[in-house]
C-alpha cells in the first residue's frame, strides 16, 4: 500500500528557516511565512523535512487512492523558492501571467526572490488555490 512521504509534522518552522545560510533567502522566507500565514488564515506547519504548509485537506481519487495534503505552501530550496498551489485550477494561469518573473510546473511556482514578483498577485494565488481545493474536496 502507498505511504505518503510528505506529511505534516511537529518540527519547528522557525528552526527550519534559521538553517537557511543565505541571508537574503532567509529574509524572503520570513516574508513568505508572513504572507502565507496572513493570507491563508492557517498557522504554518512543516510538511516533510523542507516544506512549510498552511491548512490541509483530504483527497480521494476515483482510483481509491486517498491522503492528506497542505492547501498551500512553500519551500526555500537551494536554487529558488518552490510555492505549492492546487493542480487542475484553470484560473491559475491568468494570475501567473500577472505575477512577475517565475517558472511553473504542475503544482509548483518557482521564484528566485520575492522582489521578482507582485505580492498582491501572490496573495490572490493563495486565496484562489484554497478556495478551489475546498470546493473540489469538501469536508464530508
Amino acid at each position: 500500500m502507498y505511504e505518503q512521504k510528505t506529511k505534516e509534522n511537529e518540527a519547528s518552522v522557525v528552526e527550519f528557516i534559521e538553517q537557511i545560510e543565505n541571508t537574503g533567502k532567509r529574509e524572503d522566507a520570513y516574508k513568505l511565512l508572513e504572507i502565507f500565514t496572513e493570507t491563508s488564515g492557517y498557522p504554518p506547519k512543516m510538511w516533510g523535512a523542507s516544506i512549510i504548509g498552511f491548512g490541509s485537506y483530504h483527497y480521494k481519487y476515483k482510483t481509491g487512492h486517498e491522503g492528506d495534503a497542505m492547501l498551500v505552501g512553500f519551500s526555500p530550496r537551494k536554487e529558488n523558492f518552490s510555492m505549492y498551489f492546487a493542480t487542475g485550477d484553470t484560473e491559475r494561469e491568468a494570475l501567473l501571467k500577472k505575477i512577475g518573473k517565475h517558472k511553473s510546473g504542475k503544482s509548483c511556482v518557482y521564484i528566485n526572490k520575492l522582489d521578482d514578483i507582485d505580492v498582491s498577485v501572490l496573495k490572490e494565488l493563495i486565496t484562489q488555490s484554497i478556495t478551489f481545493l475546498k470546493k473540489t474536496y469538501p469536508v464530508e
Side-chain angles (χ1 to χ4, degrees):
M1 186 169 156
Y2 173 78
E3 171 99 19
Q4 260 184 268
K5 292 178 190 157
T6 307
K7 296 180 187 176
E8 183 180 324
N9 61 68
E10 294 303 315
S12 169
V13 171
V14 172
E15 285 178 21
F16 171 67
I17 292 174
E18 282 299 315
Q19 293 174 8
I20 300 169
E21 290 180 20
N22 180 297
T23 307
K25 185 163 282 227
R26 187 171 52 249
E27 288 172 3
D28 275 358
Y30 277 119
K31 288 176 188 170
L32 283 170
L33 180 66
E34 186 177 319
I35 292 164
F36 273 81
T37 301
E38 286 180 8
T39 307
S40 73
Y42 293 97
K45 298 280 188 176
M46 290 301 299
W47 284 73
S50 62
I51 299 173
I52 302 167
F54 302 82
S56 65
Y57 67 99
H58 186 78
Y59 61 86
K60 187 170 185 176
Y61 299 141
K62 291 176 183 158
T63 61
H65 173 79
E66 63 182 296
D68 296 301
M70 67 191 140
L71 289 168
V72 292
F74 73 92
S75 181
R77 306 281 186 198
K78 189 173 187 172
E79 301 262 328
N80 52 32
F81 284 95
S82 298
M83 298 185 295
Y84 302 91
F85 302 104
T87 57
D89 182 0
T90 55
E91 294 180 35
R92 183 174 114 164
E93 285 306 312
L95 289 172
L96 288 179
K97 286 179 183 173
K98 302 187 302 184
I99 198 165
K101 186 177 173 186
H102 76 284
K103 292 180 182 171
S104 62
K106 189 175 180 182
S107 65
C108 291
V109 174
Y110 307 97
I111 63 168
N112 292 325
K113 59 187 184 295
L114 204 49
D115 284 346
D116 287 343
I117 64 166
D118 183 332
V119 172
S120 66
V121 177
L122 171 60
K123 290 177 180 181
E124 286 183 66
L125 259 173
I126 293 167
T127 302
Q128 211 295 327
S129 186
I130 291 171
T131 301
F132 174 80
L133 287 170
K134 284 184 169 184
K135 189 171 153 186
T136 306
Y137 302 100
V139 178
E140 296 175 1

